[in-house]
Amino acid sequence: MAQECIFCRIIKGEIPCSKVYENNSLLAFLDIAPLSQGHCLLVPKEHVVRPDTCPSHILIALTQQIGPLAKAIITTAKTDSYNVLVNCGRNAGQLVDHLHLHIIPRFTSDNALSHCPPGKYPPGRMEELAHLIGQSL
Ligand code: AMP
Ligand code: ZN
């Protein structure tokens, strides 16, 4: 709920943050528990939960800001690498139910994100899944 949402409270100025950037529709600030130095969160000012339920004008505004923000982060962090991450739903690790993009600068051997071993499909399953997902669009 928007009233209790920690990011809405940050946007309203009720809770402090280390602000990096702000415009009419977006706010970027440092993550309080960074996976690496310079880890930023980019959030829409409107309370929306995740991309699949979010109006497209908000997604457009967010994605337009990824490039400039990422460039500023990696320039400041003196690296050429970063991850852009969106956790959607509890099983994906979403703890704050207000849509946010993590932009995480990455450094040699920083172990910031653990890597999962790649899976594989049984014969035919890949084609079946591609077909089913395509049909659901
Ligand atoms: P997620 O697991 O994708 O929902 O990520 C939520 C992120 O919000 C975590 O990385 C937290 O460290 C971060 N976070 C939570 N509260 C604050 C806060 N008050 N200021 C900055 N970052 C926060
Ligand atoms: Zn919110």
Side-chain angles (χ1 to χ4, degrees):
M1 280 225 299
Q3 300 98 296
E4 296 148 19
C5 169
I6 187 160
F7 288 175
C8 282
R9 296 191 65 201
I10 288 174
I11 290 157
K12 281 191 266 177
E14 294 173 4
I15 294 176
C17 73
S18 298
K19 183 164 77 179
V20 167
Y21 174 76
E22 182 173 23
N23 68 17
N24 287 344
S25 59
L26 305 173
L27 177 68
F29 53 95
L30 290 179
D31 192 303
I32 204 166
L35 294 181
S36 70
Q37 301 288 294
H39 177 172
C40 278
L41 300 175
L42 176 63
V43 308
K45 288 187 173 175
E46 197 173 314
H47 180 84
V48 292
V49 179
R50 44 196 273 174
D52 53 293
T53 54
C54 174
S56 45
H57 72 272
I58 295 178
L59 292 178
I60 289 166
L62 275 172
T63 49
Q64 279 177 334
Q65 201 52 49
I66 292 173
L69 183 56
K71 194 170 177 186
I73 290 169
I74 61 173
T75 300
T76 306
K78 297 187 171 42
T79 184
D80 64 356
S81 307
Y82 61 98
N83 293 102
V84 178
L85 190 69
V86 187
N87 297 324
C88 306
R90 293 288 174 271
N91 292 327
Q94 184 173 16
L95 298 174
V96 177
D97 287 334
H98 182 128
L99 176 60
H100 52 283
L101 271 66
H102 296 259
I103 302 181
I104 307 163
R106 299 298 306 275
F107 306 91
T108 309
S109 308
D110 62 13
N111 293 319
L113 295 161
S114 54
H115 289 281
C116 307
K120 61 180 182 183
Y121 290 109
R125 181 62 176 152
M126 210 170 166
E127 294 76 8
E128 183 187 33
L129 268 179
H131 178 70
L132 288 172
I133 294 168
Q135 272 196 326
S136 296
L137 276 170

